[in-house]
């Protein structure tokens, strides 16, 4: 189990990772690499979500576990909207199909609208964490 300082260091690291990964998604989009941008958008929300879970002393080992706990803990308590959990689940599916399905490519019209939603999600998570400190 992590002590308070270790937990806070890990939370801060995951939030920084979320921000960096979001920037990678923007870079990928600017180069018209939309499947890769979708991947990086997913990981940006994944890192932010895992930071939130760690802040609340919830350690999860799987991607599906992160998605499930975000819905069970934070959506059910109205700290995040149902649409936030849906965004996480949608991006997880997009990442999976983009990485593993043959002949599958995401395109600008499918990915570009998600950038603002991901940015908002990261900011919501940061606000929740800040209020919990």
């Amino acid at each position: 189990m992590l002590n308070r300082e270790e937990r806070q260091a890990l939370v801060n690291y995951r939030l920084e990772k979320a921000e960096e990964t979001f920037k990678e998604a923007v870079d990928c989009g600017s180069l018209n690499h939309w499947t890769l941008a979708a991947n990086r958008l997913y990981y940006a929300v994944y890192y932010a979500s895992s930071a939130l879970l760690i802040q609340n002393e919830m350690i999860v080992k799987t991607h599906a576990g992160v998605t499930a706990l975000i819905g069970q803990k934070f959506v059910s308590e109205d700290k995040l909207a149902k649409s936030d959990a849906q965004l996480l689940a949608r991006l997880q599916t997009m990442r999976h199909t983009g990485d593993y399905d043959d002949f599958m490519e995401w395109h600008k019209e499918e990915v570009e609208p998600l950038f603002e939603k991901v940015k908002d999600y990261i900011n919501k998570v940061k606000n929740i964490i800040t209020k919990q400190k």
Side-chain angles (χ1 to χ4, degrees):
M1 198 66 174
L2 300 173
N3 68 37
R4 182 184 163 107
E5 292 79 26
E6 292 168 334
R7 188 173 60 250
Q8 195 57 54
L10 186 53
V11 167
N12 292 340
Y13 172 78
R14 293 285 173 100
L15 290 174
E16 289 171 15
K17 193 90 166 138
E19 294 283 353
E20 291 171 13
T21 305
F22 179 78
K23 290 175 188 172
E24 292 172 0
V26 171
D27 291 345
C28 292
S30 72
L31 296 170
N32 292 315
H33 298 296
W34 297 107
T35 300
L36 187 53
N39 173 292
R40 303 323 294 154
L41 287 174
Y42 166 69
Y43 276 101
V45 297
Y46 171 80
Y47 292 133
S49 298
S50 66
L52 183 57
L53 295 174
I54 292 164
Q55 173 73 21
N56 287 272
E57 300 183 32
M58 298 178 204
I59 306 299
V60 182
K61 301 285 184 189
T62 66
H63 290 258
V66 168
T67 302
L69 266 180
I70 288 294
Q72 290 169 6
K73 173 74 175 155
F74 297 96
V75 174
S76 68
E77 294 179 4
D78 291 326
K79 292 180 181 175
L80 288 171
K82 187 175 181 180
S83 61
D84 294 320
Q86 290 168 338
L87 174 66
L88 176 58
R90 174 161 168 63
L91 285 167
Q92 184 177 18
T93 299
M94 290 176 78
R95 194 253 339 155
H96 192 270
T97 58
D99 286 355
Y100 298 109
D101 290 3
D102 292 327
F103 307 111
M104 177 62 216
E105 292 290 327
W106 293 107
H107 300 97
K108 180 178 182 175
E109 58 275 0
E110 298 154 325
V111 178
E112 192 173 52
L114 301 174
F115 281 89
E116 197 63 37
K117 293 176 182 182
V118 169
K119 189 175 183 180
D120 289 344
Y121 183 89
I122 293 169
N123 287 329
K124 284 181 188 181
V125 167
K126 288 166 89 174
N127 287 335
I128 293 168
I129 290 172
T130 299
K131 288 178 185 176
Q132 291 178 337
K133 288 183 181 179

